[in-house]
Amino acid sequence: MARLDISLFFKSVFRKIRAFFLRQKWEEILIFFCFVLLSTGFWYLESLQEEYEIEVGMPVKYKNVPQDVVLSADNPQSLLIRIRDKGTVLINYLWFNSFSPIEVDMKDVLSGKRSEAVAERRLLESAISRQLIASTSLLSIDPPTIRVDYTELIHKDITVSADVDIQTDPGFQISDAIRINPTKVHVYAESAILDTLLVIETESIELKRANKTVTHTVRLKPIPNARMEPEKVEVTIPIEEFTEKRFQIPVECKNLPDNYDLRVFPSTVEVVCNIPMSKYKDLERSDIEIRMSFQEFDSNRVSGGLPVRLTKCPEWLVTPLVNPYTVEFILEQKNP
């Protein structure tokens, strides 16, 4: 019964609302509102033909900053200008025109002695006027001049180090020293920073399954409150296919006195060289020697054993293997 009463109530309200709207002369009301809107529009257009004044902000950009100069963060980043023109023009500035930054060229504003850097009003007016139409009057600029705060830096040449993570294909290796061009860069900073700066690293270079020489142009890792010139370097990583080359090298003793006999077991050892293919023909047996000093043999006479080491090999030959690593020997003094 309660549900039936609620349904009847809503139906009654709906009929009353419908009857109210049917009694009104809506066509006359709509016509009246149209005339109101038209008159408002004509009044608005007429008012826009008058001249007005408005304030707008224009961003500031500093360019051509010398490498040995760092700008303060407190320097003005925008200007507030007051302009006068017809309302239609001002609406265009406000709604449709985004102003380009006012460029302050540091080469122009730095004085010869660098005691101060000032962007005069005439420079600002010239830059602003280029963005205004001819009918617009520039009334004021706030601030009227820009005094640029800056700090002069000293510079130092710092060695560059490459940050690399390389995984080569099987049979391939880095064949030589990684080359960096340039090897040093100019770093501009305060002396407290430069005194603690020993090396500058590049951004990380990661290579997987590398099988040829590669050259990358990479940025240097940024240093807070410092500027680098250049900011990028070329890193060349020589990668080649490697192969083995083996030699039998005799174990010799230099400066052996005439009154001593030396016998080494074994008298020769195998030297296994892992070398790049491009240097295979360059490596000869004569490039490798094992010539230990008499003092080394004499000091190990009691044990009768001596670790073997290469006393001559090319600088580019990396970690050659010697087999066996140690030899036995007999050192005897001859009878008079």
Side-chain angles (χ1 to χ4, degrees):
M1 183 63 68
R3 291 184 180 179
L4 181 60
D5 291 342
I6 293 172
S7 177
L8 292 174
F9 171 76
F10 280 112
K11 286 182 179 180
S12 175
V13 172
F14 177 75
R15 283 196 298 269
K16 289 178 180 180
I17 294 173
R18 184 171 180 273
F20 171 78
F21 280 106
L22 289 175
R23 287 197 303 268
Q24 306 304 315
K25 297 180 180 180
W26 288 104
E27 291 183 359
E28 295 178 2
I29 295 175
L30 289 174
I31 292 172
F32 171 75
F33 276 112
C34 285
F35 278 108
V36 171
L37 290 174
L38 284 173
S39 60
T40 303
F42 284 126
W43 171 83
Y44 184 69
L45 291 174
E46 182 66 24
S47 65
L48 288 179
Q49 300 306 311
E50 302 294 330
E51 287 195 344
Y52 298 92
E53 297 179 6
I54 63 169
E55 290 184 340
V56 293
M58 301 187 77
V60 176
K61 177 183 178 182
Y62 302 91
K63 68 175 187 178
N64 294 328
V65 180
Q67 292 289 351
D68 59 345
V69 166
V70 61
L71 300 183
S72 169
D74 298 331
N75 288 317
Q77 300 301 310
S78 63
L79 297 175
L80 185 64
I81 65 170
R82 189 170 187 84
I83 55 178
R84 179 194 296 133
D85 209 329
K86 290 182 178 180
T88 51
V89 177
L90 298 181
I91 284 179
N92 179 65
Y93 287 136
L94 292 174
W95 290 359
F96 307 109
N97 186 36
S98 58
F99 291 105
S100 300
I102 300 301
E103 294 186 340
V104 177
D105 193 330
M106 294 301 295
K107 288 184 178 179
D108 296 335
V109 301
L110 279 171
S111 62
K113 296 182 180 179
R114 289 194 175 183
S115 57
E116 62 179 4
V118 181
E120 302 288 352
R121 181 184 176 92
R122 59 182 179 81
L123 293 176
L124 301 178
E125 285 182 349
S126 175
I128 294 170
S129 297
R130 285 195 291 269
Q131 300 193 52
L132 303 177
I133 65 174
S135 63
T136 303
S137 300
L138 177 61
L139 303 178
S140 65
I141 307 172
D142 185 23
T145 60
I146 297 179
R147 294 188 176 275
V148 185
D149 292 331
Y150 65 92
T151 303
E152 286 196 69
L153 306 175
I154 60 176
H155 82 274
K156 181 180 178 182
D157 290 343
I158 306 294
T159 302
V160 179
S161 173
D163 181 6
V164 296
D165 181 10
I166 304 172
Q167 298 177 12
T168 59
D169 272 345
F172 290 82
Q173 296 181 31
I174 297 177
S175 59
D176 205 343
I178 295 175
R179 299 188 296 275
I180 303 174
N181 184 33
T183 58
K184 293 185 177 182
V185 296
H186 298 305
V187 180
Y188 298 87
E190 295 180 358
S191 58
I193 296 175
L194 292 180
D195 290 343
T196 61
L197 197 59
L198 301 178
V199 68
I200 296 177
E201 284 193 339
T202 65
E203 291 185 347
S204 179
I205 302 174
E206 186 175 345
L207 298 176
K208 294 183 178 180
R209 300 190 61 82
N211 55 20
K212 63 179 179 180
T213 297
V214 294
T215 298
H216 285 278
T217 300
V218 292
R219 300 186 67 87
L220 300 173
K221 290 181 180 178
I223 301 171
N225 301 318
R227 185 179 297 131
M228 291 167 284
E229 175 61 34
E231 296 180 342
K232 298 179 181 179
V233 295
E234 277 192 353
V235 178
T236 300
I237 306 168
I239 298 174
E240 290 187 53
E241 186 176 5
F242 272 60
T243 186
E244 282 188 356
K245 199 168 188 178
R246 299 169 180 262
F247 300 102
Q248 291 293 326
I249 305 298
V251 179
E252 300 176 307
C253 177
K254 61 182 178 181
N255 60 23
L256 180 67
D258 294 337
N259 60 333
Y260 276 88
D261 282 330
L262 174 65
R263 286 173 289 174
V264 180
F265 310 97
S267 60
T268 63
V269 296
E270 183 180 51
V271 178
V272 182
C273 306
N274 193 26
I275 58 175
M277 293 289 290
S278 62
K279 295 184 180 292
Y280 188 84
K281 294 182 178 179
D282 297 338
L283 184 62
E284 302 290 343
R285 184 181 179 278
S286 58
D287 296 325
I288 301 173
E289 285 185 356
I290 301 176
R291 298 192 66 189
M292 315 291 283
S293 68
F294 170 75
Q295 289 75 15
E296 290 177 274
F297 284 101
D298 190 37
S299 60
N300 288 275
R301 185 189 302 188
V302 175
S303 64
L306 183 68
V308 177
R309 59 182 175 84
L310 301 185
T311 56
K312 176 186 175 184
C313 71
E315 292 183 357
W316 50 264
L317 188 59
V318 181
T319 59
L321 300 178
V322 179
N323 185 32
Y325 176 68
T326 60
V327 293
E328 296 179 352
F329 66 92
I330 298 174
L331 181 64
E332 295 179 331
Q333 191 171 6
K334 296 178 182 179
N335 292 326

